[in-house]
Amino acid sequence: MMQPDLFGAARDDIVLSTGALFLPGFAVAEVVTLLAHIRTIAVCSPFRHMITPGGRRMSVAMTSCGRFGWTSGREGYGYTSHDPDSGQAWPLMPPVFRELARKAATRAGFADFSPDTCLVNRYAPGTRLSLHQDLDEGDMSAPIVSVSLGLPAIFLWGGPMRSDTRRRIMLHEGDVMVWGREARMNFHGVEPLPPGNGTCRYNLTFRKAR
Ligand code: MD3
Ligand code: FE
């Protein structure tokens, strides 16, 4: 399927592997709105550097919105209905978030995707996300939809085994990816953001946690 970008050029949906769809620029028109919502979410549930069960501080800062949020600490990690920092329920998922995720999932062949959580990752220059799998979600038949905002980053896309070769994919503001089926269990990560340049990168991941 083709999609015209702001300058009228046709851009392709790129199938990375079975179940993995890259939608370059799919969210460009919504960038300003999405960033404004992130600011609002962070007023109630501020970004924080979580601690892994092994005691390491993550360089990515995180918050969540929706019915559940992802947290990690010495005790373990997973989804909670309340923000342990605020003691309150996580901020509501803005309808524009939900609708964007649903539109992208539909395009990848996942009908009626109804995420119950959106994890918001913030990458300052120098920040990375080491290679991992996402296995905490209760419904592995649902896809994960991710949206990149702010500074570009290099995404690492591996296979079902940690040792599998990895592709490096440059992600720009407004790019959307949908991961499901066979691709859902693949290892992935983000290379360190190049230092400098004031601002940061945000990534939204929409999931079905329960
Ligand atoms: C492939 N986030 O939050 S999004 C994460 O850019 C995470 O912040 C990265 O990995 C980021 O867990 C990558 C792309 C992504 C997200 C989930 C996946 C790719 C995925 C789950 C399975 C396979
Ligand atoms: Fe992940």
Side-chain angles (χ1 to χ4, degrees):
M1 223 192 281
M2 304 285 246
Q3 176 202 3
D5 70 12
L6 280 177
F7 309 101
R11 300 188 69 182
D12 287 297
D13 293 359
I14 300 165
V15 178
L16 295 172
S17 68
T18 312
L21 186 69
F22 181 26
L23 303 170
F26 189 77
V28 271
E30 281 149 299
V31 165
V32 173
T33 306
L34 298 173
L35 288 169
H37 279 294
I38 291 172
R39 287 183 72 134
T40 307
I41 289 163
V43 172
C44 296
S45 285
F47 284 96
R48 78 284 313 255
H49 295 274
M50 295 189 196
I51 307 298
T52 65
R56 287 239 247 277
R57 173 189 185 269
M58 297 182 74
S59 68
V60 182
M62 298 175 166
T63 186
S64 290
C65 66
R67 213 159 126 43
F68 301 102
W70 190 83
T71 58
S72 180
R74 282 239 170 238
E75 335 67 49
Y77 50 80
Y79 290 96
T80 63
S81 57
H82 286 68
D83 176 351
D85 282 14
S86 70
Q88 304 286 114
W90 294 99
L92 292 176
M93 190 184 300
V96 295
F97 277 33
R98 182 185 304 288
E99 278 145 31
L100 174 63
R102 177 178 286 251
K103 257 194 306 173
T106 298
R107 196 155 163 134
F110 296 95
D112 302 320
F113 177 48
S114 166
D116 56 14
T117 178
C118 173
L119 173 64
V120 189
N121 292 337
R122 187 184 69 196
Y123 296 77
T127 301
R128 61 177 292 181
L129 187 63
S130 21
L131 206 66
H132 67 279
Q133 293 171 294
D134 291 16
L135 303 174
D136 298 342
E137 294 72 30
D139 183 357
M140 297 298 276
S141 72
I144 292 181
V145 173
S146 90
V147 181
S148 292
L149 300 165
L151 293 178
I154 294 169
F155 175 70
L156 298 171
W157 172 235
M161 307 231 306
R162 184 175 283 279
S163 58
D164 289 338
T165 55
R166 303 184 270 277
R167 290 173 69 176
R168 298 164 84 244
I169 299 161
M170 188 76 163
L171 294 179
H172 293 95
E173 182 162 74
D175 288 350
V176 174
M177 298 192 287
V178 184
W179 313 98
R181 301 188 273 270
E182 288 91 329
R184 181 65 182 74
M185 307 281 275
N186 285 11
F187 279 88
H188 58 278
V190 179
E191 286 196 354
L193 237 69
N197 222 322
T199 50
C200 55
R201 167 177 191 256
Y202 294 97
N203 183 267
L204 307 176
T205 48
F206 296 91
R207 303 146 189 266
K208 194 116 180 69
R210 301 279 165 95

